[in-house]
Amino acid sequence: MSTDAAEPMLEVEDVVHNYGMVQALSHVSLLAAKGEFLTILGSSGSGKTTMLRVISGLERPSSVRRLRIGGEDVAHLPASRRNCTTVFQSYALFPHMSVVENVAYGLKIRRMNTRDALAEARRALAMVQLEAKADRRISQLSGGERQRVALARAVVTQPSVLLLDEPLGALDERLRQDMQIELMELQRSLGITFVYITHSQEEALTMSDRVVLMSQGKIVQSGGPLDLFDRPASRFAAGFMGYENILEGELIGREGDAGIVEFPGGVRIRGTLTSAGLAPGAKVALAIRAERIATAPTGAQEGLGARLISRVYRGKYTDVTVSTGAGALRLRIWHGAADETEEIQRVGWNTRDAVIFAAE
Ligand code: ADP
Ligand code: MG
């Protein structure tokens, strides 16, 4: 196995998978580097689990050009001979075994002797802060603790790639946030390549080195968390990443990645182009987050006249809707902010916060 960090640990090229008439994966390719935390993000049914099952060998794809783990072609190897392990949302633990026996199980079936297997298992339990509960029954653990056992059981075999299918999905919000941090720390300390599935953009942005956004069996966009958050390159990506305002107009000029969009009433707004190949005359959409819109724009910002339509008090902030020459805009005004109580006559934002992509 290569130790070169730039070398991909996981290579999937052009996988297609059909379940009968349903195309679950449509020419999907992805790479994960050694030690990388890669997240596959997408709504239910987008093909995430199918992708993991193809990588792990639980599903034989309809076709794939290349499937390698650690440089080795695994396309024709059974799941048991691929150097990867999957952690599922349903923990799939053995209820009649103790915690440490559950973790040691995978080592024993790999023919490690019992004493060494139990010692390794205790070390893995220490990594997930569970060594004190090693001798308990599974039924004596909370949901969060069971998920930790499942993690310890997965990492104890030292896979090259750990696949995680919505592992925190069954936990409540508070515990999920704590576990996100723990998982990240575990991944950094082990240096194992993680391929993590989630439908939660917040989870993806918190944990990942890189995010792959999927929709309907295809990869829509991939990049660092900030690329996806601040530079969505399509209407789908902007919507999925939570952009409240998406306005349609025509691109009338561009210079580098700066563009000018004209709206039906003649209003023009400057923004930043995120998709390649857009020429003046193209139908485009301009997207901006509610919280990036100010009600007292500075001279350096892009500004527009505005009239209040509605205000909804939400505790920590107020959601405001205004009408402008470019259309209705949603704003979020945080309580305690300088512009909180002012009457709204103008709104504005920094040009880089308004992103422009093809209208589709
Ligand atoms: P996700 O994990 O993103 O929710 P899946 O990979 O589970 O998505 O599913 C992708 C698509 O394939 C969906 O349309 C789903 O209904 C379909 N699908 C998944 N598993 C099967 C199966 N065993 N038989 C038939 N269709 C399936
Ligand atoms: Mg799934």
Side-chain angles (χ1 to χ4, degrees):
M1 199 186 310
S2 170
T3 52
D4 181 359
E7 190 125 315
M9 179 54 83
L10 173 69
E11 298 165 78
V12 184
E13 220 176 279
D14 199 20
V15 50
V16 173
H17 192 61
N18 306 310
Y19 295 105
M21 300 295 286
V22 178
Q23 185 156 72
L25 296 174
S26 176
H27 304 284
V28 178
S29 299
L30 58 84
L31 292 177
K34 187 165 188 284
E36 186 172 36
F37 196 127
L38 177 74
T39 296
I40 302 177
L41 173 65
S43 50
S44 176
S46 56
K48 306 180 300 296
T49 294
T50 304
M51 190 67 193
L52 276 207
R53 290 174 58 84
V54 165
I55 295 168
S56 68
L58 294 175
E59 194 80 49
R60 167 141 310 194
S62 304
S63 70
V64 64
R65 191 179 314 141
R66 169 184 280 201
L67 181 52
R68 291 184 176 189
I69 294 174
E72 182 190 13
D73 181 357
V74 298
H76 301 288
L77 291 182
S80 61
R81 292 187 46 214
R82 298 186 186 188
N83 196 3
C84 65
T85 308
T86 308
V87 178
F88 299 98
Q89 184 186 114
S90 63
Y91 318 121
L93 301 171
F94 300 116
H96 58 282
M97 291 184 193
S98 70
V99 166
V100 69
E101 284 165 351
N102 262 279
V103 177
Y105 179 79
L107 295 173
K108 284 211 223 163
I109 60 173
R110 284 172 170 77
R111 305 190 193 289
M112 186 182 279
N113 73 60
T114 304
R115 219 192 61 199
D116 290 347
L118 290 173
E120 287 291 316
R122 283 182 195 274
R123 287 205 318 134
L125 284 167
M127 283 192 265
V128 296
Q129 280 88 46
L130 265 188
E131 66 260 67
K133 297 189 176 169
D135 299 307
R136 293 223 185 154
R137 304 273 120 201
I138 296 299
S139 60
Q140 293 172 305
L141 300 184
S142 70
E145 288 167 342
R146 288 177 202 200
Q147 188 51 268
R148 286 196 176 88
V149 177
L151 266 173
R153 188 182 53 179
V155 301
V156 78
T157 58
Q158 302 185 327
S160 299
V161 179
L162 189 62
L163 308 171
L164 304 102
D165 194 348
E166 312 225 18
L168 309 184
L171 306 179
D172 65 42
E173 182 60 28
R174 181 70 191 278
L175 187 54
R176 195 160 69 228
Q177 289 186 4
D178 292 346
M179 284 293 289
Q180 287 171 9
I181 307 298
E182 281 188 32
L183 259 176
M184 270 170 67
E185 286 170 353
L186 183 68
Q187 191 268 340
R188 304 276 190 266
S189 69
L190 292 170
I192 297 177
T193 303
F194 273 32
V195 181
Y196 186 96
I197 284 186
T198 183
H199 62 267
S200 155
Q201 55 136 322
E202 177 243 325
E203 207 160 275
L205 296 171
T206 303
M207 297 196 287
S208 323
D209 294 316
R210 209 152 49 81
V211 182
V212 170
L213 178 61
M214 282 189 72
S215 170
Q216 300 185 341
K218 293 195 175 77
I219 294 178
V220 177
Q221 191 173 344
S222 61
L226 281 179
D227 292 326
L228 264 95
F229 193 77
D230 284 334
R231 292 284 169 264
S234 64
R235 175 181 281 272
F236 176 83
F240 197 91
M241 299 313 289
Y243 278 68
E244 295 86 350
N245 301 296
I246 303 178
L247 305 167
E248 285 192 12
E250 182 186 328
L251 188 68
I252 60 160
R254 68 170 296 172
E255 204 183 306
D257 68 353
I260 300 173
V261 180
E262 186 173 283
F263 293 91
V267 167
R268 295 175 173 188
I269 297 178
R270 288 178 303 149
T272 304
L273 293 155
T274 55
S275 64
L278 289 174
K283 295 269 168 261
V284 293
L286 179 140
I288 182 156
R289 291 186 180 279
E291 72 229 31
R292 300 277 170 90
I293 300 179
T295 54
T298 66
Q301 292 178 318
E302 193 70 4
L304 265 186
R307 191 170 46 79
L308 181 72
I309 298 177
S310 68
R311 278 178 190 269
V312 181
Y313 176 77
R314 303 245 189 226
K316 288 181 180 163
Y317 51 83
T318 297
D319 279 331
V320 175
T321 305
V322 296
S323 85
T324 73
L329 286 175
R330 295 251 324 255
L331 288 62
R332 176 160 291 179
I333 299 176
W334 290 86
H335 298 157
D339 54 359
E340 185 185 345
T341 54
E342 281 171 36
E343 201 178 311
I344 299 172
Q345 284 166 347
R346 282 182 78 69
V347 294
W349 52 83
N350 296 324
T351 311
R352 67 169 187 280
D353 288 333
V355 293
I356 302 170
F357 39 79
E360 253 129 39

